[in-house]
Amino acid sequence: MKPESSSRLLPLLLLAVGALAAACSAEPPAPSARPEAPAQRVVSLAPSLTAWLEAIGAGGQLVGVSEHCRPATTEPAPRNVGRIDTPNLELITELRPDLILATTMTPATTIEQMRGQGWPVQVHDHESLQGVLDSVLRLGTATGHRHLAEQNYQHLKFALQIHAEDPDLPRWRTAVMLDLEPAYAAGPGSFPYDLVAALGLPQITDDLDTPWPRLGNEAIITLDPQLVIVSSGPGRESEAALRAQWERLRRGPVWSPTEAARHNRLLVIGDNGLTVPGPDLGVVIGRLQEGILRLAGEASP
């Protein structure tokens, strides 16, 4: 890829300054005038919630986490309370929580069961960017870390605005894939779809009405993605395995007619960056932008 010229850097610098000023001047929603006492014994049922709690300084208030959470080493370590969709309610009872945090991935019936035990339960929307932004502030208020939450809120808004305004980013028709085989794509109502849409990229699922459609062979050929994005990380395929799978698929009868396959445009985002909307979202957005620009500068095989 050619080095960036000063003529390209100057507009981006001006955009950065303007976006930073806007982000700093735009006030996040104010907390309630009479907040309740901050929670001190928190159970988190989602990896993204756990990561955000640690980012705003509330990690030490965790007493329980779901099995897919990876909290930083603390003493005592929070207990594993089971799956995000079927937590162990008996174990949660032993932990005596004063706040349980869940996302919409936890079934409504389970939420009602926990509330029926008399536990305060907050349900957070982590299927949209705005939902994640709102969630950060709610977490800060609930745990007594509003100041750090607001800093994270402003940082994420700034990152979104900067990367979305890059005039040199090719607007390729994109397939954001949960898996390559079987071919599950991110559609409207899913966080990965929302994240990529924030960069101004059209997506092959724009006209669909389900968050995770499974694409048949004919749909892949008809929708003809120009770019394929997929996430690797703990609990998922490694980047090496995904690239090997892609090399096989892009030479097969289904994917080979697509522009993405012909030009070998596969972008792998590591650390579950597309599936866990945690505090490194600004970094993930930067990786998306840099990866797309790199692919744009590479010659076809």
Side-chain angles (χ1 to χ4, degrees):
M1 185 174 179
K2 297 180 180 179
E4 293 180 322
S5 65
S6 58
S7 61
R8 179 174 181 267
L9 290 175
L10 180 57
L12 287 179
L13 180 60
L14 293 175
L15 286 169
V17 172
L20 178 60
C24 293
S25 61
E27 291 297 327
S32 59
R34 300 178 61 185
E36 297 180 0
Q40 298 301 317
R41 300 184 60 80
V42 180
V43 171
S44 168
L45 297 182
S48 53
L49 291 169
T50 298
W52 276 113
L53 287 170
E54 294 185 324
I56 64 174
Q61 290 151 255
L62 282 166
V63 295
V65 295
S66 68
E67 66 180 16
H68 294 296
C69 295
R70 290 174 173 79
T73 302
T74 58
E75 293 296 338
R79 298 279 300 278
N80 181 339
V81 299
R83 292 169 51 91
I84 188 173
D85 53 345
T86 55
N88 185 326
L89 301 187
E90 291 184 4
L91 180 53
I92 292 177
T93 300
E94 294 176 14
L95 295 175
R96 297 177 291 107
D98 54 10
L99 178 63
I100 297 175
L101 299 170
T103 66
T104 50
M105 294 294 291
T106 298
T109 53
T110 303
I111 298 295
E112 290 308 311
Q113 278 184 291
M114 293 189 293
R115 286 176 172 157
Q117 297 284 339
W119 300 322
V121 181
Q122 275 192 5
V123 180
H124 291 247
D125 169 22
H126 278 197
E127 294 299 326
S128 69
L129 279 175
Q130 188 57 53
V132 173
L133 285 166
D134 294 342
S135 172
V136 175
L137 297 178
R138 290 179 68 199
L139 291 173
T141 299
T143 61
H145 296 273
R146 177 80 182 193
H147 179 67
L148 275 176
E150 289 180 356
Q151 288 183 353
N152 277 271
Y153 174 95
Q154 297 289 13
H155 174 76
L156 181 52
K157 286 191 70 174
F158 175 68
L160 287 167
Q161 187 168 1
I162 285 297
H163 293 298
E165 292 178 345
D166 187 346
D168 290 336
L169 195 68
R171 264 52 184 182
W172 286 324
R173 187 171 56 258
T174 303
V176 184
M177 306 300 295
L178 178 66
D179 294 300
L180 292 174
E181 199 175 36
Y184 281 97
S190 70
F191 173 76
Y193 174 91
D194 216 14
L195 182 64
V196 171
L199 289 175
L201 299 180
Q203 297 179 62
I204 63 171
T205 54
D206 283 342
D207 295 329
L208 303 182
D209 57 1
T210 181
W212 293 106
R214 180 172 179 173
L215 304 179
N217 295 346
E218 184 177 346
I220 292 172
I221 295 171
T222 302
L223 295 171
D224 187 19
Q226 298 169 298
L227 169 67
V228 174
I229 302 175
V230 66
S231 184
S232 66
R236 302 188 56 76
E237 296 280 3
S238 67
E239 179 171 352
L242 286 169
R243 291 195 178 280
Q245 190 179 37
W246 171 247
E247 282 302 311
R248 174 174 55 82
L249 290 173
R250 80 182 189 95
R251 289 175 167 80
V254 176
W255 283 93
S256 59
T258 68
E259 186 171 332
R262 294 198 308 272
H263 294 278
N264 196 20
R265 294 193 191 123
L266 175 72
L267 181 56
V268 181
I269 301 298
D271 300 321
N272 285 331
L274 294 178
T275 54
V276 179
D280 60 347
L281 276 181
V283 175
V284 173
I285 294 165
R287 288 177 186 166
L288 283 167
Q289 182 195 45
E290 292 166 6
I292 293 168
L293 291 173
R294 174 177 52 78
L295 289 171
E298 292 178 352
S300 302

